[in-house]
Amino acid sequence: MTINQQILLDNRPTGEAVASNFKLVSSPIPELRDGQVLVRHHFLSLDPYMRGRMNDSKSYAAPQPLGAVMIGGTVGEVAESRHPQFVVGDKVVGMGGWQEYSVVNADEPGALRKVDATRIPLSAYLGAVGMPGVTAWYGLVKIIAPEAGDTLVVSAAAGAVGSAFGALAKARGCRVVGIAGGPEKSAYIVNELGFDAAIDYKMHGDARSLSNAIKEACPDGVDGYFENVGGGVLDAVMARMNAFGRIAVCGMIAGYDGAPLPMANPALILINRLKVQGFIVSEHMDIWPEALNELGTLVATGKLHPRESIAQGIAAAPEAFLGLLKGKNFGKQLVKLC
Amino acid sequence: MTINQQILLDNRPTGEAVASNFKLVSSPIPELRDGQVLVRHHFLSLDPYMRGRMNDSKSYAAPQPLGAVMIGGTVGEVAESRHPQFVVGDKVVGMGGWQEYSVVNADEPGALRKVDATRIPLSAYLGAVGMPGVTAWYGLVKIIAPEAGDTLVVSAAAGAVGSAFGALAKARGCRVVGIAGGPEKSAYIVNELGFDAAIDYKMHGDARSLSNAIKEACPDGVDGYFENVGGGVLDAVMARMNAFGRIAVCGMIAGYDGAPLPMANPALILINRLKVQGFIVSEHMDIWPEALNELGTLVATGKLHPRESIAQGIAAAPEAFLGLLKGKNFGKQLVKLC
C-alpha cells in the first residue's frame, strides 16, 4: 500500500507562525471511486496567502481547519484514474495541498486541469503561469490599467508575483521599479528580470528614507503600485503617487501576525484622487484564460524566467514556508515532492 | 461709485483656521471691458474644501493666494453687462468669491451660467443643484455604483453633500444611513430628509462604539460609504464594510488642521476586497449636466428640500466658515449678501 505523507495544521499561531503549528503524518491512500483521480505531486507551491488561512479570523476565505491537510497549489501527474478524461501520466495542476498524493474529484469545476509540460516547465504552473502570475496580471491589467510610459512600482518584486508583474509591465511599455529586500534580490530584479530600477528596502530605516529612494527611482512620480507588503512600504509609496494613481492591494504580509498596521496618511487618497483596491484572484476566474495565455507565451519565449527556491521533500515544507514569510526565498518558493 | 466689500486670505493657518486669517477690505468696482459682466451676489457658498486651499501644501489644487479674494461659489444677478449673452437681471451662478460683486470674463468656459430661478430657489444652485449635489451624485453613481437594496452610509449626512446623497440613494432603492453630529441633526436627516436611520457620532467615544452603532443600523453590512470626514469615523465604517464594498472619499475634514489621521486597519481593503477612491468633482465636468438634471428635478418636485444655514452679510463669512468646519451649520452653509 502506498503511504501518503501529509502536513496538517495542528494549532493556530499566536503572533508569528512557527514550525510547531504544523504536524507531519502518514496516511494510507484510499481506493478511488468513480470520477476520482489519484495525483502524485511533483511540486507544492508555498504562498503568503496561506498565512492568513492559519488564523481563525475573517480573511479572504474560510480559515484552514485544524487537523486537516494544509491547502496549497500542486502540480503532478496522474498515478491512477477512474475518470474518463484523465489517464495515467497526464500532467495536471490542482489544489492538492501539503501532501505527496491527492485524491481529486475530477468533475468538480476547476479541481484539476491538464497542462502541457513540453513548452513550459511543470513547476512554472505554480508560479509565472499559475496563480501568482495571474495575480500580477489582474492587478496590473484590471486595477492599475497602465498606459505606455507610466511608472509602476511593485513590492516583494523578487517574488513570484513581483517577477511576473515586472515582465507584464515591461511588455506594456511601462517603467517598472521593484522594491526588494537585500542587495542580491535588488541586483536580480534588474539584471535577470529586466526591471528598470530596484530599491532595497533594508537600506532604509523609515518611510521617509524609503520614500526619498522611491522619488529618486521614479523621477516622474508613481502612476501605479502593486502592493504585496503593506505597512511602512505602502506609506512610502503613497507619498510618491501621482494624481489619479492606482494601487492594487494584493498582500499585506506585514500585518499577518496580528497587530493591524495603520496607513499613515489616508488623506493622500483624496489629495491625489487615488484608487486603492483590494482583490483576490480566485474570485475572477473569467480572466484566467487570457492571463495564462499571455503568461505562458512570456515563459515559453524566455521573456519571463524567474528563479525558483526549491525545498526538498514534504517534511521541509513548514520551514520553507516560514522562511518565505520572512523573505528568505529567492523567487517562487516550491517544495519538490518526487 | 459702488463699493465692493471683499474678504481676502491675509495669512495661512498654523493648525486650526481662525478669524484673523481673513481680512475684510473695501474696493471700488472697476469699469467693465468688452466681454465682461458685473454680477451682484445674492449668496456666497461656504464649503469645507476651502479649508484645504488655505494651506500652502499640495492639495487638490493650487493654494489660495495670500492677499487675494477667497474663492467660492456664488449666485446672483447681472448688474451690468458688456457681453451679448447676458442682460441685466439675469440670474447667474459662478465662482465669484467672498465678495459682494464680481467682474466676470463671461467668455471663459464655465465662468458664468444662467439659471432658472422660477422652479428652483436661487440658493439651491449652491447646494443641492450645485457643486455639493453633483459631488454626492458623482460619488454615488460613479464610484459606489449601487444596486437597489444596497446599504449605503454617508458621514456629515446633514450637510449639503450628505442630504443630496440621501435623496439620490433613496431614488435608487437603497437603504441609506447617515452619520451626523448631535440629536437634532440625527432627527432631521430621518424626519425631513428621509434617511432610513441616523447615527449620532457624538454619542460614541471611540471607533468601536461607533462601529457597533453602525452594525445595528446596518444589519446587512455596508455596501457603499461616502466619506466626508475621515479619522475614527472612517475606521468605524470600514470595519462594517461588506465584501466588494466601495468607499468614495470626498472629504477628510478631520485632517485639515495639519496632523495626518492614520487609517487604523488598511488590511481590511484586502480582506474585504474594497475599492477606496478619492475624487474631486470639478475634474469631472462631463457628468455635471446629467447630475444637475436629476438634482434639479428632485428639488423642483420637493423630494429634496434640505435646510440652509444663512449668515447675513459678507463680514459674517469668516465666522460662518469656521463654524462649518466645526459642524455648527445645519444644512448648506450660505452667506446672504443682498
Side-chain angles (χ1 to χ4, degrees):
Chain A
M1 180 191 280
T2 311
I3 290 296
N4 184 19
Q5 292 203 91
Q6 306 174 306
I7 299 212
L8 316 181
L9 181 64
D10 187 59
N11 55 80
R12 300 195 188 279
T14 52
E16 198 172 312
V18 293
S20 61
N21 297 136
F22 303 98
K23 185 179 177 183
L24 179 66
V25 300
S26 295
S27 308
I29 292 169
E31 274 211 19
L32 297 190
R33 287 179 278 121
D34 279 347
Q36 290 188 327
V37 169
L38 177 67
V39 180
R40 185 178 189 193
H41 300 157
H42 289 204
F43 291 97
L44 162 67
S45 176
L46 295 177
D47 301 277
Y49 77 87
M50 296 165 173
R51 177 63 188 84
R53 301 289 180 92
M54 293 173 74
N55 291 340
D56 199 16
S57 57
K58 195 177 176 188
S59 181
Y60 314 123
Q64 162 78 40
L66 286 178
V69 176
M70 279 290 295
I71 59 155
T74 46
V75 289
E77 63 181 296
V78 172
E80 271 182 64
S81 176
R82 287 183 63 179
H83 190 285
Q85 281 160 36
F86 292 89
V87 299
V88 170
D90 279 349
K91 301 295 187 290
V92 288
V93 55
M95 288 295 288
W98 294 28
Q99 54 185 339
E100 294 172 319
Y101 292 86
S102 60
V103 174
V104 183
N105 294 311
D107 280 328
E108 283 177 17
L112 211 58
R113 183 165 57 90
K114 274 192 268 199
V115 294
D116 167 19
T118 57
R119 285 168 68 242
I120 295 169
L122 195 52
S123 62
Y125 290 103
L126 296 177
V129 194
M131 189 269 285
V134 180
T135 298
W137 192 97
Y138 187 89
L140 177 71
V141 175
K142 294 296 179 181
I143 295 179
I144 296 175
E147 293 180 3
D150 276 0
T151 297
L152 308 183
V153 175
V154 58
S155 55
V161 176
S163 57
F165 184 89
L168 292 166
K170 290 307 294 177
R172 282 159 179 77
C174 298
R175 173 174 175 81
V176 59
V177 174
I179 300 174
E184 257 196 294
K185 286 182 182 174
S186 297
Y188 160 68
I189 66 172
V190 171
N191 298 335
E192 293 185 39
L193 295 180
F195 279 67
D196 294 289
I199 296 165
D200 175 3
Y201 73 82
K202 292 184 176 174
M203 300 270 289
H204 303 281
D206 56 29
R208 177 178 297 266
S209 168
L210 182 55
S211 189
N212 287 339
I214 295 163
K215 186 178 186 179
E216 205 169 302
C218 306
D220 299 326
V222 179
D223 301 298
Y225 177 47
F226 191 102
E227 176 58 286
N228 283 309
V229 173
V233 176
L234 175 57
D235 291 333
V237 179
M238 274 186 73
R240 298 301 173 199
M241 294 299 292
N242 289 329
F244 308 107
R246 292 83 63 194
I247 301 179
V249 181
C250 165
M252 289 260 184
I253 194 172
Y256 279 144
D257 288 339
L261 287 169
M263 176 190 287
N265 193 3
L268 290 169
I269 296 172
L270 175 58
I271 292 168
N272 290 326
R273 292 84 84 203
L274 305 179
K275 181 176 77 171
V276 185
Q277 188 166 357
F279 72 101
I280 171 166
V281 73
S282 58
E283 292 174 333
H284 304 280
M285 295 311 294
D286 53 312
I287 61 93
W288 281 59
E290 182 185 355
L292 288 174
N293 184 51
E294 179 177 355
L295 291 156
T297 302
L298 285 173
V299 169
T301 57
K303 286 179 184 154
L304 173 55
H305 182 56
R307 290 197 201 175
E308 294 169 341
S309 281
I310 300 179
Q312 296 293 333
I314 190 68
E319 285 301 341
F321 175 65
L322 299 174
L324 168 74
L325 294 180
K326 294 182 174 151
K328 289 185 182 165
N329 59 307
F330 207 121
K332 174 67 198 172
Q333 180 66 56
L334 299 167
V335 182
K336 187 155 178 29
L337 297 176
C338 75
Chain B
M1 183 192 278
T2 312
I3 290 297
N4 184 19
Q5 291 203 92
Q6 307 173 307
I7 299 213
L8 316 181
L9 181 64
D10 188 58
N11 55 81
R12 300 196 189 279
T14 53
E16 199 172 313
V18 292
S20 62
N21 298 138
F22 303 99
K23 186 177 177 183
L24 178 67
V25 299
S26 296
S27 306
I29 293 167
E31 274 210 20
L32 297 189
R33 288 178 278 119
D34 279 349
Q36 288 187 327
V37 168
L38 177 67
V39 180
R40 185 177 188 192
H41 300 156
H42 289 204
F43 292 97
L44 162 68
S45 176
L46 295 178
D47 300 278
Y49 77 86
M50 296 165 172
R51 177 63 188 84
R53 301 290 179 92
M54 292 173 74
N55 291 340
D56 199 15
S57 57
K58 195 179 177 186
S59 178
Y60 313 123
Q64 162 78 39
L66 286 178
V69 175
M70 279 290 295
I71 58 155
T74 46
V75 288
E77 63 180 294
V78 172
E80 272 183 60
S81 176
R82 288 183 63 178
H83 190 286
Q85 281 160 35
F86 292 89
V87 299
V88 171
D90 278 351
K91 301 296 186 289
V92 288
V93 55
M95 289 294 287
W98 295 28
Q99 54 184 339
E100 294 172 318
Y101 292 86
S102 61
V103 173
V104 182
N105 294 311
D107 280 328
E108 281 177 18
L112 210 58
R113 184 165 56 91
K114 273 193 269 197
V115 294
D116 168 18
T118 58
R119 285 168 68 242
I120 295 169
L122 194 53
S123 61
Y125 290 103
L126 296 178
V129 195
M131 189 269 285
V134 179
T135 299
W137 192 96
Y138 187 88
L140 177 71
V141 175
K142 293 297 179 180
I143 295 179
I144 296 175
E147 292 179 5
D150 276 1
T151 296
L152 309 183
V153 175
V154 57
S155 55
V161 175
S163 57
F165 183 89
L168 292 165
K170 289 309 293 177
R172 283 160 178 76
C174 298
R175 174 176 174 79
V176 59
V177 174
I179 300 174
E184 257 196 292
K185 287 181 182 173
S186 297
Y188 160 68
I189 67 172
V190 172
N191 299 334
E192 294 185 38
L193 295 180
F195 279 68
D196 294 289
I199 296 164
D200 175 2
Y201 72 84
K202 291 184 176 174
M203 301 271 289
H204 303 281
D206 56 29
R208 177 178 297 266
S209 169
L210 182 56
S211 189
N212 288 339
I214 295 163
K215 187 178 186 180
E216 206 169 302
C218 305
D220 298 327
V222 179
D223 301 298
Y225 177 47
F226 191 103
E227 175 59 287
N228 283 309
V229 173
V233 177
L234 175 58
D235 291 333
V237 179
M238 275 185 71
R240 298 302 172 196
M241 295 298 293
N242 288 330
F244 308 109
R246 293 82 64 196
I247 300 179
V249 181
C250 166
M252 290 260 184
I253 194 173
Y256 279 147
D257 288 338
L261 287 168
M263 176 190 287
N265 193 2
L268 290 170
I269 297 172
L270 175 58
I271 291 167
N272 290 325
R273 293 83 86 201
L274 305 180
K275 180 176 78 171
V276 185
Q277 188 165 357
F279 73 102
I280 171 167
V281 73
S282 58
E283 293 175 333
H284 304 280
M285 294 312 294
D286 53 313
I287 60 94
W288 281 58
E290 183 185 355
L292 289 174
N293 184 51
E294 180 177 355
L295 291 157
T297 301
L298 285 173
V299 169
T301 57
K303 285 179 184 154
L304 174 54
H305 182 56
R307 290 199 204 175
E308 295 171 340
S309 282
I310 301 181
Q312 296 294 333
I314 189 69
E319 285 301 342
F321 175 65
L322 299 174
L324 169 74
L325 294 180
K326 291 181 175 150
K328 290 187 184 166
N329 59 307
F330 206 123
K332 174 65 196 175
Q333 180 67 57
L334 299 168
V335 182
K336 186 154 175 32
L337 297 175
C338 74

